[in-house]
Structure formats: C-alpha cells, structure tokens
Amino acid sequence: MTIYFEDLAVGASAETGKTITEADVLLFSAVSGDNNPVHLDQTYASTTPFETRIAHGMLTASLISGVIGTRLPGYGTVYLSQSTRFKAPVRIGETVTTRVTVEELIPEKKRVRLSTQCRVGDKVVLEGESLVIAPSRN
C-alpha cells in the first residue's frame, strides 16, 4: 500500500497490532546481537524490577517501521530519523498497538513528520517522532 505525498493530510493516521511472541524475542536477539538476560533468561529477569522477561525496546520500536513502510505513507517511504522515548516494558504475550499520525507535511522535499506511539491496552509503552520522505507522483 502506498499513500503518495500529494494525498497525505495532517491528522491522517494508521495503526496495526502485533502480539510479541517468544520467537520474536529470540529472533530479534539473534539479529541484533542483544542477548541481555532480561530478554532471554527468566531466572535472571525475575530478579529485576520487571520480574519477568521483557521484549527488547528496539523490537517494540521496530514495529513503527512496519506501519510506516507498509501503511502510512507505505511502500517506497524512506526513513530519515526516529526519536523514541520508552515509557514502559513490553512482556512476551502482550499485544502492541502501533500508531503513526501525520503531524507536518514539508512539500519542498516531500518530507513528512509523524508522531509515533506504541500501546499495550491503554498504556503508552513508547512514544516519539519519525521524519520520512514519502513517495511522490512527481
């Protein structure tokens, strides 16, 4: 799916949901090289303030890329930057709802500033902002 720059409007948004699985955490650990035991070892994780294993924060943040790259603006979008504030942990088995919203359109360079948010239920677990180049008809 692609929404061209010319068709975007401030306030437009897209949202997806993903349940974080054991496989997601193991694969992300393998790809990223982050084998912190808070993600992989229940015995260790039980001694932390989280009391159980949690997903990598960057695994949660990567869900934003999925929405931007496939829904808003969609195919052909180029990421320029991402700011992220982690607000709460995501546990294995929880469903993360990721939402991106158009905040500003910059026509000169076909850039789009998006607010980004991930929630588990009503709790915000991540918030931030992305800057992207949207596909254009021109």
Side-chain angles (χ1 to χ4, degrees), residues 87-117:
K87 310 287 277 180
V90 174
R91 291 168 175 80
I92 296 168
E94 291 184 323
T95 299
V96 177
T97 301
T98 303
R99 181 179 195 80
V100 302
T101 304
V102 176
E103 296 294 331
E104 180 182 12
L105 298 167
I106 307 163
E108 303 79 42
K109 295 189 176 184
K110 309 294 189 232
R111 293 186 178 181
V112 183
R113 188 173 56 82
L114 302 152
S115 62
T116 58
Q117 184 182 76

mmCIF file of all heavy atoms in Angstrom, residues 87-117:
data_model
loop_
_atom_site.group_PDB
_atom_site.id
_atom_site.type_symbol
_atom_site.label_atom_id
_atom_site.label_comp_id
_atom_site.label_asym_id
_atom_site.label_seq_id
_atom_site.Cartn_x
_atom_site.Cartn_y
_atom_site.Cartn_z
ATOM 1 N N LYS A 87 8.533 4.203 27.599
ATOM 2 C CA LYS A 87 7.744 4.580 28.769
ATOM 3 C C LYS A 87 7.467 3.406 29.705
ATOM 4 O O LYS A 87 7.243 3.604 30.888
ATOM 5 C CB LYS A 87 6.411 5.184 28.313
ATOM 6 C CG LYS A 87 6.537 6.273 27.259
ATOM 7 C CD LYS A 87 7.080 7.539 27.812
ATOM 8 C CE LYS A 87 5.976 8.328 28.438
ATOM 9 N NZ LYS A 87 6.413 9.590 28.996
ATOM 10 N N ALA A 88 7.411 2.186 29.156
ATOM 11 C CA ALA A 88 7.082 1.007 29.960
ATOM 12 C C ALA A 88 7.528 -0.235 29.187
ATOM 13 O O ALA A 88 7.635 -0.204 27.959
ATOM 14 C CB ALA A 88 5.569 0.947 30.234
ATOM 15 N N PRO A 89 7.772 -1.327 29.908
ATOM 16 C CA PRO A 89 8.206 -2.550 29.230
ATOM 17 C C PRO A 89 7.057 -3.257 28.508
ATOM 18 O O PRO A 89 5.886 -3.047 28.818
ATOM 19 C CB PRO A 89 8.719 -3.418 30.383
ATOM 20 C CG PRO A 89 7.902 -2.979 31.550
ATOM 21 C CD PRO A 89 7.689 -1.495 31.363
ATOM 22 N N VAL A 90 7.447 -4.089 27.546
ATOM 23 C CA VAL A 90 6.501 -4.965 26.857
ATOM 24 C C VAL A 90 6.894 -6.393 27.202
ATOM 25 O O VAL A 90 8.054 -6.783 27.050
ATOM 26 C CB VAL A 90 6.554 -4.757 25.329
ATOM 27 C CG1 VAL A 90 5.671 -5.781 24.622
ATOM 28 C CG2 VAL A 90 6.126 -3.336 24.974
ATOM 29 N N ARG A 91 5.938 -7.149 27.682
ATOM 30 C CA ARG A 91 6.193 -8.537 28.065
ATOM 31 C C ARG A 91 5.792 -9.479 26.936
ATOM 32 O O ARG A 91 4.907 -9.168 26.129
ATOM 33 C CB ARG A 91 5.441 -8.867 29.349
ATOM 34 C CG ARG A 91 6.020 -8.115 30.547
ATOM 35 C CD ARG A 91 5.147 -8.168 31.786
ATOM 36 N NE ARG A 91 5.818 -7.541 32.905
ATOM 37 C CZ ARG A 91 5.888 -6.223 33.111
ATOM 38 N NH1 ARG A 91 5.320 -5.384 32.262
ATOM 39 N NH2 ARG A 91 6.527 -5.741 34.159
ATOM 40 N N ILE A 92 6.430 -10.620 26.900
ATOM 41 C CA ILE A 92 6.096 -11.634 25.912
ATOM 42 C C ILE A 92 4.629 -12.015 26.094
ATOM 43 O O ILE A 92 4.155 -12.221 27.211
ATOM 44 C CB ILE A 92 7.030 -12.854 26.062
ATOM 45 C CG1 ILE A 92 8.468 -12.423 25.755
ATOM 46 C CG2 ILE A 92 6.597 -13.994 25.153
ATOM 47 C CD1 ILE A 92 9.524 -13.443 26.129
ATOM 48 N N GLY A 93 3.915 -12.085 24.989
ATOM 49 C CA GLY A 93 2.492 -12.401 25.013
ATOM 50 C C GLY A 93 1.585 -11.183 24.976
ATOM 51 O O GLY A 93 0.385 -11.320 24.740
ATOM 52 N N GLU A 94 2.152 -10.002 25.189
ATOM 53 C CA GLU A 94 1.334 -8.791 25.129
ATOM 54 C C GLU A 94 1.184 -8.319 23.685
ATOM 55 O O GLU A 94 2.070 -8.520 22.858
ATOM 56 C CB GLU A 94 1.949 -7.677 25.983
ATOM 57 C CG GLU A 94 1.871 -7.965 27.466
ATOM 58 C CD GLU A 94 2.393 -6.849 28.333
ATOM 59 O OE1 GLU A 94 3.382 -6.185 27.961
ATOM 60 O OE2 GLU A 94 1.804 -6.648 29.415
ATOM 61 N N THR A 95 0.053 -7.690 23.414
ATOM 62 C CA THR A 95 -0.209 -7.147 22.085
ATOM 63 C C THR A 95 0.099 -5.663 22.080
ATOM 64 O O THR A 95 -0.435 -4.907 22.900
ATOM 65 C CB THR A 95 -1.663 -7.403 21.663
ATOM 66 O OG1 THR A 95 -1.876 -8.821 21.629
ATOM 67 C CG2 THR A 95 -1.961 -6.806 20.292
ATOM 68 N N VAL A 96 0.959 -5.279 21.154
ATOM 69 C CA VAL A 96 1.359 -3.886 20.996
ATOM 70 C C VAL A 96 0.569 -3.289 19.834
ATOM 71 O O VAL A 96 0.561 -3.836 18.723
ATOM 72 C CB VAL A 96 2.870 -3.769 20.704
ATOM 73 C CG1 VAL A 96 3.272 -2.313 20.476
ATOM 74 C CG2 VAL A 96 3.680 -4.393 21.841
ATOM 75 N N THR A 97 -0.096 -2.179 20.091
ATOM 76 C CA THR A 97 -0.790 -1.429 19.046
ATOM 77 C C THR A 97 0.095 -0.239 18.694
ATOM 78 O O THR A 97 0.443 0.559 19.562
ATOM 79 C CB THR A 97 -2.169 -0.953 19.519
ATOM 80 O OG1 THR A 97 -2.934 -2.102 19.893
ATOM 81 C CG2 THR A 97 -2.891 -0.188 18.427
ATOM 82 N N THR A 98 0.465 -0.169 17.427
ATOM 83 C CA THR A 98 1.379 0.876 16.943
ATOM 84 C C THR A 98 0.601 1.822 16.050
ATOM 85 O O THR A 98 -0.097 1.399 15.138
ATOM 86 C CB THR A 98 2.538 0.241 16.164
ATOM 87 O OG1 THR A 98 3.203 -0.706 17.017
ATOM 88 C CG2 THR A 98 3.522 1.288 15.693
ATOM 89 N N ARG A 99 0.749 3.120 16.332
ATOM 90 C CA ARG A 99 0.012 4.138 15.577
ATOM 91 C C ARG A 99 0.982 5.223 15.126
ATOM 92 O O ARG A 99 1.813 5.685 15.916
ATOM 93 C CB ARG A 99 -1.072 4.739 16.461
ATOM 94 C CG ARG A 99 -1.929 5.786 15.780
ATOM 95 C CD ARG A 99 -3.002 6.297 16.765
ATOM 96 N NE ARG A 99 -4.045 7.010 16.121
ATOM 97 C CZ ARG A 99 -5.079 6.474 15.482
ATOM 98 N NH1 ARG A 99 -5.205 5.164 15.413
ATOM 99 N NH2 ARG A 99 -5.991 7.224 14.914
ATOM 100 N N VAL A 100 0.863 5.629 13.870
ATOM 101 C CA VAL A 100 1.599 6.783 13.354
ATOM 102 C C VAL A 100 0.586 7.796 12.851
ATOM 103 O O VAL A 100 -0.444 7.424 12.290
ATOM 104 C CB VAL A 100 2.613 6.406 12.255
ATOM 105 C CG1 VAL A 100 3.612 5.385 12.769
ATOM 106 C CG2 VAL A 100 1.939 5.901 11.007
ATOM 107 N N THR A 101 0.887 9.064 13.078
ATOM 108 C CA THR A 101 -0.022 10.149 12.701
ATOM 109 C C THR A 101 0.775 11.250 12.008
ATOM 110 O O THR A 101 1.827 11.663 12.509
ATOM 111 C CB THR A 101 -0.729 10.725 13.939
ATOM 112 O OG1 THR A 101 -1.401 9.658 14.621
ATOM 113 C CG2 THR A 101 -1.725 11.809 13.565
ATOM 114 N N VAL A 102 0.270 11.733 10.893
ATOM 115 C CA VAL A 102 0.920 12.830 10.172
ATOM 116 C C VAL A 102 0.763 14.109 10.993
ATOM 117 O O VAL A 102 -0.350 14.526 11.302
ATOM 118 C CB VAL A 102 0.309 13.022 8.763
ATOM 119 C CG1 VAL A 102 0.926 14.238 8.072
ATOM 120 C CG2 VAL A 102 0.487 11.759 7.925
ATOM 121 N N GLU A 103 1.906 14.723 11.324
ATOM 122 C CA GLU A 103 1.909 15.970 12.087
ATOM 123 C C GLU A 103 2.262 17.179 11.225
ATOM 124 O O GLU A 103 1.808 18.277 11.489
ATOM 125 C CB GLU A 103 2.906 15.876 13.254
ATOM 126 C CG GLU A 103 2.554 14.820 14.282
ATOM 127 C CD GLU A 103 1.270 15.123 15.037
ATOM 128 O OE1 GLU A 103 0.918 16.312 15.206
ATOM 129 O OE2 GLU A 103 0.605 14.162 15.471
ATOM 130 N N GLU A 104 3.107 16.935 10.204
ATOM 131 C CA GLU A 104 3.548 18.055 9.362
ATOM 132 C C GLU A 104 3.938 17.527 7.987
ATOM 133 O O GLU A 104 4.551 16.458 7.874
ATOM 134 C CB GLU A 104 4.755 18.748 10.004
ATOM 135 C CG GLU A 104 5.296 19.921 9.217
ATOM 136 C CD GLU A 104 6.532 20.549 9.856
ATOM 137 O OE1 GLU A 104 7.118 19.964 10.784
ATOM 138 O OE2 GLU A 104 6.912 21.637 9.395
ATOM 139 N N LEU A 105 3.594 18.284 6.963
ATOM 140 C CA LEU A 105 3.992 17.991 5.586
ATOM 141 C C LEU A 105 4.961 19.076 5.136
ATOM 142 O O LEU A 105 4.685 20.265 5.318
ATOM 143 C CB LEU A 105 2.775 17.951 4.672
ATOM 144 C CG LEU A 105 1.745 16.867 5.016
ATOM 145 C CD1 LEU A 105 0.445 17.101 4.264
ATOM 146 C CD2 LEU A 105 2.323 15.492 4.712
ATOM 147 N N ILE A 106 6.088 18.664 4.565
ATOM 148 C CA ILE A 106 7.123 19.601 4.119
ATOM 149 C C ILE A 106 7.289 19.413 2.614
ATOM 150 O O ILE A 106 8.057 18.566 2.151
ATOM 151 C CB ILE A 106 8.445 19.341 4.881
ATOM 152 C CG1 ILE A 106 8.182 19.363 6.397
ATOM 153 C CG2 ILE A 106 9.511 20.365 4.477
ATOM 154 C CD1 ILE A 106 9.254 18.741 7.240
ATOM 155 N N PRO A 107 6.527 20.174 1.816
ATOM 156 C CA PRO A 107 6.423 19.928 0.384
ATOM 157 C C PRO A 107 7.733 20.037 -0.401
ATOM 158 O O PRO A 107 7.930 19.298 -1.362
ATOM 159 C CB PRO A 107 5.436 20.996 -0.106
ATOM 160 C CG PRO A 107 4.739 21.487 1.109
ATOM 161 C CD PRO A 107 5.648 21.258 2.264
ATOM 162 N N GLU A 108 8.626 20.932 -0.001
ATOM 163 C CA GLU A 108 9.845 21.170 -0.776
ATOM 164 C C GLU A 108 10.637 19.884 -1.013
ATOM 165 O O GLU A 108 11.235 19.703 -2.065
ATOM 166 C CB GLU A 108 10.767 22.189 -0.075
ATOM 167 C CG GLU A 108 10.139 23.529 0.218
ATOM 168 C CD GLU A 108 9.234 23.512 1.450
ATOM 169 O OE1 GLU A 108 9.576 22.906 2.484
ATOM 170 O OE2 GLU A 108 8.144 24.105 1.353
ATOM 171 N N LYS A 109 10.656 19.009 -0.015
ATOM 172 C CA LYS A 109 11.454 17.785 -0.128
ATOM 173 C C LYS A 109 10.608 16.526 0.054
ATOM 174 O O LYS A 109 11.148 15.446 0.266
ATOM 175 C CB LYS A 109 12.589 17.810 0.894
ATOM 176 C CG LYS A 109 13.589 18.918 0.610
ATOM 177 C CD LYS A 109 14.807 18.789 1.479
ATOM 178 C CE LYS A 109 15.823 19.842 1.115
ATOM 179 N NZ LYS A 109 17.057 19.698 1.856
ATOM 180 N N LYS A 110 9.282 16.683 0.006
ATOM 181 C CA LYS A 110 8.350 15.545 0.169
ATOM 182 C C LYS A 110 8.569 14.846 1.505
ATOM 183 O O LYS A 110 8.437 13.636 1.621
ATOM 184 C CB LYS A 110 8.482 14.541 -0.980
ATOM 185 C CG LYS A 110 8.409 15.138 -2.365
ATOM 186 C CD LYS A 110 7.053 15.723 -2.655
ATOM 187 C CE LYS A 110 6.946 16.124 -4.117
ATOM 188 N NZ LYS A 110 6.517 17.459 -4.326
ATOM 189 N N ARG A 111 8.878 15.607 2.516
ATOM 190 C CA ARG A 111 9.108 15.048 3.848
ATOM 191 C C ARG A 111 7.834 15.102 4.675
ATOM 192 O O ARG A 111 7.009 15.990 4.507
ATOM 193 C CB ARG A 111 10.243 15.780 4.549
ATOM 194 C CG ARG A 111 11.556 15.506 3.841
ATOM 195 C CD ARG A 111 12.720 16.078 4.543
ATOM 196 N NE ARG A 111 13.930 15.708 3.794
ATOM 197 C CZ ARG A 111 15.128 16.035 4.137
ATOM 198 N NH1 ARG A 111 15.335 16.767 5.224
ATOM 199 N NH2 ARG A 111 16.156 15.661 3.411
ATOM 200 N N VAL A 112 7.746 14.121 5.580
ATOM 201 C CA VAL A 112 6.579 14.012 6.454
ATOM 202 C C VAL A 112 7.085 13.790 7.875
ATOM 203 O O VAL A 112 7.902 12.901 8.120
ATOM 204 C CB VAL A 112 5.683 12.821 6.037
ATOM 205 C CG1 VAL A 112 4.441 12.758 6.913
ATOM 206 C CG2 VAL A 112 5.312 12.907 4.562
ATOM 207 N N ARG A 113 6.598 14.621 8.790
ATOM 208 C CA ARG A 113 6.894 14.414 10.209
ATOM 209 C C ARG A 113 5.697 13.695 10.813
ATOM 210 O O ARG A 113 4.557 14.146 10.677
ATOM 211 C CB ARG A 113 7.146 15.752 10.922
ATOM 212 C CG ARG A 113 7.651 15.566 12.356
ATOM 213 C CD ARG A 113 8.066 16.899 12.981
ATOM 214 N NE ARG A 113 6.995 17.881 12.953
ATOM 215 C CZ ARG A 113 6.000 17.942 13.844
ATOM 216 N NH1 ARG A 113 5.919 17.060 14.831
ATOM 217 N NH2 ARG A 113 5.078 18.881 13.744
ATOM 218 N N LEU A 114 5.977 12.563 11.460
ATOM 219 C CA LEU A 114 4.938 11.706 12.037
ATOM 220 C C LEU A 114 5.127 11.572 13.535
ATOM 221 O O LEU A 114 6.258 11.381 14.005
ATOM 222 C CB LEU A 114 5.029 10.302 11.422
ATOM 223 C CG LEU A 114 4.911 10.196 9.912
ATOM 224 C CD1 LEU A 114 5.656 8.989 9.394
ATOM 225 C CD2 LEU A 114 3.450 10.121 9.529
ATOM 226 N N SER A 115 4.047 11.656 14.287
ATOM 227 C CA SER A 115 4.127 11.252 15.690
ATOM 228 C C SER A 115 3.946 9.745 15.720
ATOM 229 O O SER A 115 3.236 9.161 14.895
ATOM 230 C CB SER A 115 3.072 11.958 16.541
ATOM 231 O OG SER A 115 1.772 11.617 16.120
ATOM 232 N N THR A 116 4.638 9.102 16.651
ATOM 233 C CA THR A 116 4.601 7.643 16.752
ATOM 234 C C THR A 116 4.276 7.237 18.187
ATOM 235 O O THR A 116 4.707 7.888 19.138
ATOM 236 C CB THR A 116 5.949 7.033 16.321
ATOM 237 O OG1 THR A 116 6.998 7.566 17.142
ATOM 238 C CG2 THR A 116 6.253 7.342 14.871
ATOM 239 N N GLN A 117 3.504 6.166 18.296
ATOM 240 C CA GLN A 117 3.121 5.701 19.629
ATOM 241 C C GLN A 117 2.865 4.200 19.589
ATOM 242 O O GLN A 117 2.275 3.684 18.640
ATOM 243 C CB GLN A 117 1.857 6.416 20.088
ATOM 244 C CG GLN A 117 1.443 6.065 21.500
ATOM 245 C CD GLN A 117 0.161 6.760 21.890
ATOM 246 O OE1 GLN A 117 -0.905 6.365 21.458
ATOM 247 N NE2 GLN A 117 0.278 7.806 22.701
#
